[in-house]
Amino acid sequence: MSYTVNHLKALESESIFILREVAAQFQNPAILFSGGKDSILVTYLAKKAFYPAAIPFPLVHVDTGHNFRETLEYRDKLVERLGAKLIVGSVQETIDGGRVAEEKGYNASRIRLQTTTLLDLIEKYRFDACIGGARRDEEKARAKERFFSHRDEFGQWDPKNQRPELWNLFNGRMHMGENFRIFPISNWTELDVWQYLAMEGIEMPSLYFSHKRRIFYRDGNWLAESPNIPMKPTERAEEMVVRFRTIGDITSTGATLSSASTLDDIIQEVAATRVTERGGRADDQRSETSMEDRKKEGYF
Amino acid sequence: MVDLITAKSNQYAEVEKFDSNSYLNMELLRFTTAGSVDDGKSTLIGRLLYDSKSIFEDQYEAVKATSEKRGEQYVNLALLTDGLKAEREQGITIDVAYRYFSTPKRKFIIADTPGHIQYTRNMVTGASTANLAIILIDARHGVVEQTRRHSIIASLLGIPHIAVCINKMDMVDYNQEVFEKIIEDYRDFATRLKTKDIHFIPVSALLGDNIVHRSENMKWYEGVTLLYLLETIHIASDINHIDLRFPVQYVIRPYSDEFHDYRGYAGRIASGVIRPGDKITVLPSGFTSKVKQVELDGKVLNEAFAPLSVTVLLEDDIDISRGDMLVRENNLPRQSQDIEAMVCWMSDKPLQLNGKYALKHTTKDVRAVIKEIKYKLDINSLHRITDAPCIGMNDIGRISLRTTAPICCDAYTKNRDTGSFILIDEGSNVTVGACMVID
């Protein structure tokens, strides 16, 4: 018997350790569930970490109202199968309540507005730790993020003054009103995620696999035709074979022209690809530091 | 504008088909680098990332465009690793950044840290989980204060392997004598280090010599390239598979009809191996029992070993909670309230003699009082300052402390998990000290 562990098992062990630390150190944690592969992975790892007990965290979905139908179907099925508790926060309600104003114009998006809905939810349910599926390889501001990321009473991130994280010791102490964001899969790359999902045989939403869809081209991205995205007079949608590399709000999730129809095809494609996965995310292209700016305000 | 990266160096991009099963045998190697842009650290990382196809076109184009906009002569690869606005503005690395790349053999996690003495705490953070440290030496300057400091930190933090890269060999005409002289100087100094496995590689990160490809310019060098070393260095033995230490992290009680009497002790094995039938002792209570089952997610395991996260079931119902430790009865850790440790201080407020701090060790939380500050270490020379030592931000020193309850620890040199702990300021809740238990 050789005592070696492959990289996927090492990552799994680390993530499960983090999830169990959250259950032990916090009173009222929640998983932020977007319906994308990363939050599916986190949920799956949480099931593993606590089996045969139920996942000790509710799933929280910040719903922009601009969803792919497939995402909601998958979400509801998963929640039912795991016997998990689901809490939905609605950006539409935040807008209707006058807490935020809808962006205007062709590139209007509800990505930034999610922050207010999320912070309201944290206050309403008194969550002291929100577990997210962010990974450090996704984006340069996220490369600096801790596993246990401290947020002040306004939900803000202070990147220049983060707590040091040494060995496997995670400091979740805080004052009343503050909270933590927890990122158990920080050390996974996009390829690791897909390799693991394939190794474990986890069923994934159909949007990740190639399918026919009516899409149109705008600013370097292919966007899905949808009542949520007003099209310019010059834009024309056509049916193409596509898949999505990331799944988020429909208005800012770019499609990839791809014929990858199995997990193995996706691994091949990800291994060979030359563009980052958030390359198709209009929300990150707004400025060089748009992720850092959003995170400081309290974004995921 | 000079493009640092040439297409011909892009070896892995040309691999035709990714072998989707090979990843089941890939190991994980964590390494740390310390330094500033001038040392060529960012160029070295950029070269490793690019040559292993881990820099994407859109990232590279973005960095190239920013470099051009700033009127820089080279594509500034530091912009890839320096992610924060403040870092990009000032052109420095402030915080630890984590970078990822993989080759068909291994997955790598780089803890990329600043190198200046005022960021010692960040270097210590990056070093705490590393299997290997890359120490960069500028061939023109040889072993300097910073070389010694980075090596001392690597050694103190128990990094088992060091790769000394003598960089900028192109600026000294790829001269073998320069390389040999630097090795000699480094070896003289390294006799005082605890790290025993040290490798020397002459490189030019800028031009790619001996990073991924063997250098045409240094035929006299018969050793391996840096990437080859990273891919093949033996790390499986770095983990302690002898002394069982299982800190209980969480108790799983399903309270369901099906699993009514289930009581599972969840945790990550810090060291050693655990199997069903093993006789174990619970610390600090001293109760003994036998392992009934080791499992994860309902799958029963024949055995489990560090660093796996598992759930352990025992034959007897005994009182066990988070912070307890399962060990073998004939192989016990030290249990004590009086601890001797090296500390690296991480706060602007200096370490207070007689001060009280929260202490976090494995999954156990206690409080501690600082009884004595024995000395401060000059981390450029390892010289001990014993005359009224004050340990402030970024200082490393030796302390004695007393805890409110015994902790079950091992010497850091034997066990990085059970030999380390952090101190937390009870007012601000901030982590202020990183400590390593001394024999």
Side-chain angles (χ1 to χ4, degrees), chain A residues 1-14 16-25 44 47-54 56 136-138 140-141 143-146 157 159-160 162-175 178 186-192 194-196 198-200 245 264 267-268 270-280 288-289 292-293 296, chain B residues 10 17-18 20 23-28 30 50 53 55-59 66 80-88 90 93-100 102 107 109 124-125 128-129 157 236 241 249-250 252-254 259 262 266-268 273 275 295-298 303 305-311 322 346 358 360-363 412 416-417 420-422 424 426-431 434-436:
Chain A
M1 178 71 198
S2 88
Y3 297 127
T4 53
V5 175
N6 78 21
H7 71 296
L8 299 174
K9 277 294 190 191
L11 292 169
E12 176 197 69
S13 168
E14 177 178 82
I16 288 177
F17 179 81
I18 301 287
L19 287 161
R20 287 167 165 178
E21 274 308 282
V22 177
Q25 290 197 34
Y44 180 83
K47 179 217 147 217
K48 265 197 157 179
F50 301 101
Y51 186 87
R136 287 171 179 157
D137 84 319
E138 274 180 277
K140 56 191 180 295
K144 302 275 173 173
E145 186 60 275
R146 301 292 191 257
W157 181 53
K160 284 215 275 188
Q162 300 194 78
R163 292 182 182 181
E165 257 173 14
L166 299 116
W167 299 292
N168 296 309
L169 297 165
F170 299 94
N171 172 5
R173 289 172 63 116
M174 66 187 150
H175 295 112
E178 299 174 346
S186 288
N187 278 333
W188 299 56
T189 61
E190 184 187 13
L191 192 57
D192 296 331
W194 285 116
Q195 287 173 345
Y196 184 83
M199 184 174 87
E200 299 281 303
R245 273 179 86 188
D264 202 51
I267 292 171
Q268 291 296 334
V270 170
T273 191
R274 303 292 299 130
V275 178
T276 57
E277 119 199 61
R278 297 191 72 91
E288 200 186 16
T289 55
E292 184 180 342
D293 297 338
K296 282 181 186 162
Chain B
N10 198 356
K17 186 163 157 67
F18 181 80
S20 26
Y23 60 78
L24 296 173
N25 299 317
M26 276 165 66
E27 271 181 307
L28 178 62
R30 296 172 197 253
Y50 195 86
K53 203 181 88 64
I55 296 178
F56 296 106
E57 274 167 12
D58 54 333
Q59 282 177 320
T66 307
L80 278 170
T81 49
D82 293 336
L84 300 176
K85 214 185 257 185
E87 292 177 322
R88 295 160 81 86
Q90 298 172 52
T93 311
I94 298 172
D95 202 348
V96 188
Y98 294 90
R99 299 281 142 202
Y100 304 85
S102 58
K107 171 188 165 95
I109 300 180
V124 166
T125 302
S128 72
T129 51
L157 270 291
H241 287 123
Q249 197 185 359
Y250 187 80
I252 296 177
R253 300 288 322 255
F259 296 98
Y262 185 99
R268 190 179 191 186
V273 182
R275 296 182 187 91
E295 60 171 43
L296 181 68
D297 192 27
E303 62 180 350
F305 44 88
L308 294 175
S309 285
V310 292
T311 305
R322 174 174 165 88
M346 307 196 148
K360 191 179 268 296
H361 170 256
T362 65
T363 55
Y412 185 78
R416 283 168 96 180
D417 274 324
S420 56
F421 60 90
I422 55 172
I424 298 165
E426 294 182 300
S428 66
N429 291 329
V430 169
T431 305
C435 304
M436 291 160 281

Side-chain angles (χ1 to χ4, degrees), chain B residues 276-375:
Chain B
D278 282 350
K279 282 171 82 176
I280 55 97
T281 299
V282 183
L283 296 177
S285 69
F287 291 136
T288 57
S289 185
K290 248 187 187 171
V291 176
K292 185 161 96 186
Q293 193 161 302
V294 182
E295 60 171 43
L296 181 68
D297 192 27
K299 282 193 194 71
V300 177
L301 306 169
N302 294 328
E303 62 180 350
F305 44 88
L308 294 175
S309 285
V310 292
T311 305
V312 175
L313 286 79
L314 300 180
E315 293 285 359
D316 309 282
D317 266 348
I318 38 184
D319 178 15
I320 301 175
S321 53
R322 174 174 165 88
D324 291 349
M325 193 183 280
L326 308 187
V327 300
R328 267 190 238 291
E329 56 185 347
N330 54 359
N331 181 341
L332 301 177
R334 192 182 321 157
Q335 294 175 75
S336 176
Q337 283 177 266
D338 293 296
I339 313 289
E340 295 281 308
M342 295 301 291
V343 61
C344 171
W345 200 248
M346 307 196 148
S347 159
D348 345 335
K349 211 168 95 189
L351 173 76
Q352 301 293 312
L353 184 63
N354 298 318
K356 294 188 180 71
Y357 298 92
L359 185 155
K360 191 179 268 296
H361 170 256
T362 65
T363 55
K364 197 175 180 71
D365 289 286
V366 295
R367 298 179 72 215
V369 58
I370 310 299
K371 301 297 271 187
E372 195 184 350
I373 301 175
K374 298 210 158 148
Y375 59 80

